[in-house]
């Protein structure tokens, strides 16, 4: 795991600043994930198909792509969910520690 060291005159101020920013970003990602999951649920209900099954069928050309359907948006939402989850995973892995000198 990589480490980042920062030197400054007021380390506790900087620590709290980073922790607050990190906490806010995590909350924002969690809200984005919730909204994206809700949108995916709308597609799943509308087309009576899970997102996983839809993506599998679409990738295997088992579903005809039509302009009047929401397939592009559904695919985009599924990619967005994966991106948001990846970012959240990385941010939740950040640790702050005190260096003893």
């Amino acid at each position: 795991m990589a480490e980042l060291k920062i030197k400054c005159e007021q380390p506790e101020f900087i620590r709290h600043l980073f922790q607050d920013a990190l906490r806010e970003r995590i909350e924002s990602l969690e809200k984005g994930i919730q909204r994206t999951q809700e949108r995916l649920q709308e597609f799943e209900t509308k087309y009576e198909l899970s997102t996983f099954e839809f993506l599998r069928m679409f990738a295997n050309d088992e579903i005809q792509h039509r302009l009047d359907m929401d397939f592009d948006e559904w695919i985009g939402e599924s990619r967005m969910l994966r991106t948001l989850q990846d970012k959240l995973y990385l941010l939740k892995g950040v640790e702050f520690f005190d260096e003893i000198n």
Side-chain angles (χ1 to χ4, degrees):
M1 181 178 287
E3 292 183 15
L4 171 68
K5 293 183 180 185
I6 299 173
K7 285 186 176 184
C8 64
E9 291 183 22
Q10 297 181 359
E12 281 306 307
F13 172 76
I14 297 299
R15 172 194 284 264
H16 290 297
L17 184 70
F18 281 123
Q19 286 175 326
D20 289 345
L22 185 61
R23 185 173 31 260
E24 288 174 13
R25 183 64 178 138
I26 286 172
E27 289 173 6
S28 175
L29 287 169
E30 289 173 339
K31 288 177 185 175
I33 287 170
Q34 181 179 355
R35 284 190 305 270
T36 303
Q37 288 173 329
E38 289 169 359
R39 185 70 176 130
L40 289 172
Q41 183 62 50
E42 290 173 13
F43 290 124
E44 291 174 350
T45 300
K46 181 176 181 178
Y47 294 103
E48 298 180 352
L49 198 61
S50 72
T51 297
F52 177 82
E53 192 63 19
F54 161 71
L55 293 173
R56 185 196 64 74
M57 292 174 72
F58 192 80
N60 293 326
D61 293 323
E62 296 174 29
I63 296 179
Q64 184 78 19
H65 187 236
R66 295 180 9 207
L67 295 177
D68 65 332
M69 301 191 96
D70 303 307
F71 291 173
D72 291 333
E73 192 173 344
W74 196 351
I75 291 168
E77 290 289 339
S78 69
R79 289 178 180 165
M80 178 60 70
L81 178 61
R82 187 171 49 248
T83 298
L84 293 172
Q85 288 171 329
D86 289 346
K87 288 179 181 181
L88 181 62
Y89 174 79
L90 290 173
L91 290 182
K92 283 192 169 187
V94 172
E95 296 179 66
F96 291 87
F97 60 94
D98 293 318
E99 186 175 294
I100 301 172
N101 288 335

